[in-house]
């Protein structure tokens, strides 16, 4: 190949469309969020009086922790999707979300009579939450794992776990539109288990499909 041919090849290579990883993750997340959101809105249905209840502190805590987890996990997923990626300060964001959730549960235990702790922890929809959060997260996780195949994560299992946590956080926020259990104790237990299970699924998916 002479110099002119090399230059022309480089120009054509630069002009060719490239599948950028951040865009791939956004598309994967959006593609998974659409069926999950439709399932909540058309199948489960939003809870009655949701807009009027939004200013309440327990409901704000529910959305703040689920969406905060999704944001931090997604940012970490993006940063670690390349072999030279570093986590930056985002693990502190995950720690903050965990402390906020634990603090809410501790505050409720401090303020509520001990006789009510069990009922608040069980809520009305514990089993539904445990099943539906991972179920709603599946299309989100699939979209994120497919997008991550455009990258080259050095630790596929960790990247898959983070993608699972991100998917679980979004799914939990969507499920919260339907769920009537606002207790921080319920949030810490059942939402936490549902999101954690999705993280385990993501870790398994990463070990299988993100190896290189």
């Amino acid at each position: 190949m002479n110099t002119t041919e090399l230059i022309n090849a480089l120009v054509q290579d630069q002009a060719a469309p490239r599948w950028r990883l951040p865009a791939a993750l956004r598309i994967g997340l959006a593609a998974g969020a659409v069926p999950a959101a439709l399932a909540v809105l058309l199948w489960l249905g939003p809870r009655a009086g949701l807009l009027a209840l939004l200013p309440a502190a327990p409901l704000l805590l529910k959305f703040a922790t689920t969406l905060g987890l999704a944001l931090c996990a997604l940012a970490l997923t993006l940063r670690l999707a390349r072999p030279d990626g570093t986590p930056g300060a985002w693990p502190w964001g995950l720690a903050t979300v965990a402390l906020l959730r634990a603090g809410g549960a501790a505050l409720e235990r401090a303020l509520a009579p001990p006789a009510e702790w069990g009922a608040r922890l069980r809520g009305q929809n514990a089993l539904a939450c445990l099943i539906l959060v991972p179920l709603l997260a599946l299309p989100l996780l699939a979209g994120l794992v497919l997008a991550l195949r455009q990258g080259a994560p050095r630790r596929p299992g960790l990247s898959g776990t983070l993608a699972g946590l991100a998917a679980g956080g979004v799914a939990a926020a969507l499920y919260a539109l339907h769920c009537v259990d606002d207790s921080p104790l319920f949030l810490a237990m059942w939402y936490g288990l549902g999101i954690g299970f999705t993280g385990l699924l993501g870790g398994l998916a990463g070990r299988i499909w993100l190896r290189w």
Side-chain angles (χ1 to χ4, degrees):
M1 177 181 291
N2 59 36
T3 304
T4 303
E5 291 173 338
L6 177 60
I7 293 174
N8 289 335
L10 289 173
V11 170
Q12 291 174 0
D13 182 65
Q14 292 298 319
R18 292 180 180 271
W19 190 248
R20 302 285 185 183
L21 184 60
L25 284 174
R26 286 195 296 269
I27 292 171
L29 186 64
V34 169
L38 289 176
V40 171
L41 295 176
L42 301 180
W43 173 39
L44 299 174
R47 65 186 290 182
L50 176 62
L51 292 179
L53 293 170
L54 276 179
L59 200 58
L60 289 178
L61 178 68
K62 188 189 290 189
F63 286 111
T65 54
T66 53
L67 293 176
L69 170 65
L71 174 63
C72 295
L74 188 61
L76 269 170
T77 302
L78 178 59
R79 291 185 67 95
L80 299 180
R82 302 187 185 281
D84 58 346
T86 58
W90 287 105
W92 291 105
L94 288 179
T96 300
V97 171
L99 286 174
L100 186 61
R101 182 170 293 180
L107 181 62
E108 183 174 35
R109 287 192 61 175
L111 297 178
E116 296 181 8
W117 291 355
R120 292 180 183 229
L121 180 64
R122 290 188 301 272
Q124 302 178 39
N125 301 287
L127 183 59
C129 180
L130 192 58
I131 294 173
L132 289 174
V133 168
L135 190 63
L136 292 171
L138 284 179
L140 290 150
L141 178 58
L144 290 177
V145 170
L146 286 174
L148 283 172
R149 287 175 62 84
Q150 304 296 323
R154 188 168 54 200
R155 299 174 63 183
L158 175 60
S159 290
T161 299
L162 290 170
L165 293 177
V170 175
L174 290 172
Y175 176 70
L177 298 173
H178 164 78
C179 180
V180 297
D181 292 304
D182 298 332
S183 164
L185 287 170
F186 184 95
L187 175 68
M189 172 63 78
W190 302 107
Y191 278 71
L193 287 174
I195 294 171
F197 181 69
T198 308
L200 291 176
L201 287 179
L204 178 61
R207 291 184 180 91
I208 296 173
W209 287 299
L210 299 180
R211 292 185 299 176
W212 55 281

